[in-house]
Amino acid sequence: MTMAGTTSARPLSLFDVAGRALSAQTVRMNTAASNLANAGSVSGNPQDTYRPIKAVFATQYDQATGLATVNVSRVVQSGAAAVREHSPGHPLADANGDIWAAPVDENAEMVEMLESSRQYQNVVEALSTAKQLMLDTVRMK
């Protein structure tokens, strides 16, 4: 199994899978938070305007265990065009009186953050259940 350029000699465990899922959801939440933090930011030209970012996930399958997990393969910048706003009195306005706002959909970013938070919570609950099952198994002996 290849992970970030290294080879793992041991098969994936439940904790490896959960750890990667938690890490991926953390990146997802952080990108949404970054987008929300930059919503409403403006610049004097479209090239300098903040562009939203998104995490791109890649599934990894471990043939030894049959477990599948996820990694963040990269974080990409949106190709969405900056939003032109006419504001001649703004200090960053160009010769036409235009400023350029970040093309961030705040509602979509809030949904993204809520969903990633719920997914994170689901993984934590799965880990808690696995821990409890392991403790119950040890107590049976």
Side-chain angles (χ1 to χ4, degrees):
M1 172 107 215
T2 303
M3 309 180 316
T6 62
T7 303
S8 174
R10 67 179 178 82
L12 289 174
S13 71
L14 170 66
F15 299 103
D16 295 325
V17 171
R20 290 180 186 180
L22 291 173
S23 178
Q25 292 306 325
T26 299
V27 171
R28 188 176 168 199
M29 278 188 275
N30 286 339
T31 58
S34 178
N35 292 339
L36 283 169
N38 286 287
S41 64
V42 297
S43 71
N45 64 63
Q47 294 78 22
D48 293 339
T49 305
Y50 177 83
R51 299 285 197 273
I53 55 176
K54 296 284 181 200
V56 177
F57 294 160
T59 303
Q60 287 190 330
Y61 180 74
D62 183 20
Q63 292 180 345
T65 62
L67 295 174
T69 188
V70 66
N71 283 330
V72 176
S73 65
R74 64 190 185 280
V75 175
V76 297
Q77 194 173 42
S78 168
V83 179
R84 182 190 319 221
E85 296 176 4
H86 190 68
S87 182
H90 195 283
L92 294 176
D94 62 13
N96 296 327
D98 295 331
I99 57 172
W100 302 88
V104 176
D105 181 346
E106 294 174 56
N107 292 326
E109 295 301 333
M110 284 301 296
V111 169
E112 184 77 7
M113 186 167 284
L114 288 170
E115 169 134 352
S116 60
S117 176
R118 285 188 182 130
Q119 292 298 327
Y120 190 97
Q121 183 179 8
N122 289 342
V123 174
V124 169
E125 288 178 20
L127 280 173
S128 179
T129 300
K131 174 186 156 193
Q132 190 59 48
L133 289 172
M134 288 176 172
L135 288 172
D136 291 347
T137 301
V138 169
R139 287 186 195 125
M140 286 178 20
K141 291 188 175 195

